[in-house]
Amino acid sequence: MRIADLYIRVSTDEQADKGYSKRNQEEVLRRYCDMNYIQVRKVVYEDHSAKTFNRPAWSKLLADLRKSKGKSDLIIFTKWDRFSRNAGDAYQMINQLRSLGVEPQAIEQPLDMSIPENKIMLALYLATPEVENDRRALNVFHGMRRAKKEGRWMGTAPIGYKNRTMENGDKYIGPKEPEAGIMKWVFQTIADGIYNTEQIWKTARLKGLKCSKNNF
């Protein structure tokens, strides 16, 4: 009978209702092991992103496999994106595991790695999540850039303003009194060039502005 470690990963930025919940993954993996006469040695839970293998639970599992070489034949997970979202790192890790006599396998995307052509499918399974991550990041970048070009302020409103929302849901920043009036006086006084910045800051505080010297 083969022996397996179950690897269950849900990162903090993933939703449980997508079928990635720890309970759901464990149920599916245990059912698979029962049906295929595989003995479960341990269950490993992870809550970190799969962008790299610098994950606490994975590091402990890898150290245990090195220490207990030969006691486990498989590392089983549901899909390859539970294992990794970086194709380059994944190939290196697969080679490390094989040197320990351990075969990683995704039960919902099974691959017989003795068949050379299946390496193409493995590359697809590993690269697809990475491409999705890169595309998502690019969309966010372009979205923020477009918003700035349209004159929208991104992030927390600066001193003298307040984040507001229109009736249609669009967000904008609007003046916040009395800070707005004080900040108008500040900029005008700086433009006059009579007093230095620290003197103006101290006077602004006396007027009621709550702001540290560094932030000012």
Side-chain angles (χ1 to χ4, degrees):
M1 179 180 284
R2 291 181 299 172
I3 300 174
D5 296 326
L6 308 185
Y7 184 68
I8 298 168
R9 187 188 68 79
V10 178
S11 65
T12 53
D13 61 346
E14 289 173 329
Q15 300 294 323
D17 59 5
K18 291 183 180 179
Y20 290 151
S21 71
K22 292 180 179 179
R23 180 182 298 177
N24 176 266
Q25 289 183 61
E26 184 172 356
E27 288 177 357
V28 171
L29 292 172
R30 285 191 178 277
R31 191 182 310 121
Y32 174 86
C33 290
D34 290 340
M35 293 174 61
N36 290 275
Y37 305 101
I38 298 173
Q39 179 183 338
V40 177
R41 184 176 76 107
K42 63 162 56 178
V43 180
V44 178
Y45 300 99
E46 187 79 82
D47 59 0
H48 279 65
S49 170
K51 292 180 181 178
T52 73
F53 281 99
N54 295 326
R55 315 170 211 155
W58 180 265
S59 298
K60 290 181 181 179
L61 174 59
L62 194 60
D64 179 55
L65 291 172
R66 291 190 180 118
K67 184 178 179 181
S68 308
K69 190 174 181 179
K71 291 188 177 181
S72 185
D73 305 305
L74 300 164
I75 293 181
I76 301 177
F77 34 88
T78 53
K79 295 183 179 181
W80 282 104
D81 64 354
R82 303 298 90 201
F83 175 69
S84 177
R85 286 178 175 265
N86 184 300
D89 289 349
Y91 278 117
Q92 293 182 18
M93 184 56 66
I94 289 171
N95 290 333
Q96 285 189 50
L97 293 173
R98 285 179 174 171
S99 69
L100 299 172
V102 180
E103 189 74 20
Q105 190 58 263
I107 64 171
E108 295 180 17
Q109 298 167 330
L111 292 174
D112 182 355
M113 299 311 298
S114 64
I115 301 174
E117 288 77 11
N118 278 347
K119 292 181 179 179
I120 298 175
M121 288 302 301
L122 176 60
L124 181 63
Y125 288 144
L126 292 173
T128 299
E130 185 178 3
V131 171
E132 289 176 351
N133 283 343
D134 292 346
R135 171 50 60 188
R136 192 178 299 115
L138 199 59
N139 288 343
V140 171
F141 170 77
H142 286 307
M144 293 179 66
R145 188 176 182 182
R146 189 185 313 112
K148 289 179 179 179
K149 283 185 175 181
E150 292 173 356
R152 285 185 281 159
W153 180 269
M154 306 302 295
T156 305
I159 298 171
Y161 290 88
K162 183 177 181 180
N163 292 96
R164 301 181 185 276
T165 305
M166 296 182 181
E167 292 182 359
N168 62 3
D170 289 344
K171 297 184 182 298
Y172 70 103
I173 56 173
K176 178 186 176 184
E177 297 295 349
E179 290 88 347
I182 298 172
M183 288 306 297
K184 287 180 181 178
W185 172 85
V186 165
F187 279 105
Q188 184 59 56
T189 307
I190 289 176
D192 293 340
I194 300 174
Y195 303 101
N196 62 40
T197 305
E198 185 170 355
Q199 290 174 320
I200 296 172
W201 169 67
K202 289 180 178 179
T203 305
R205 282 176 58 86
L206 293 175
K207 290 177 175 287
L209 183 68
K210 295 180 180 179
C211 175
S212 67
K213 183 178 178 180
N214 289 335
N215 196 21
F216 185 81

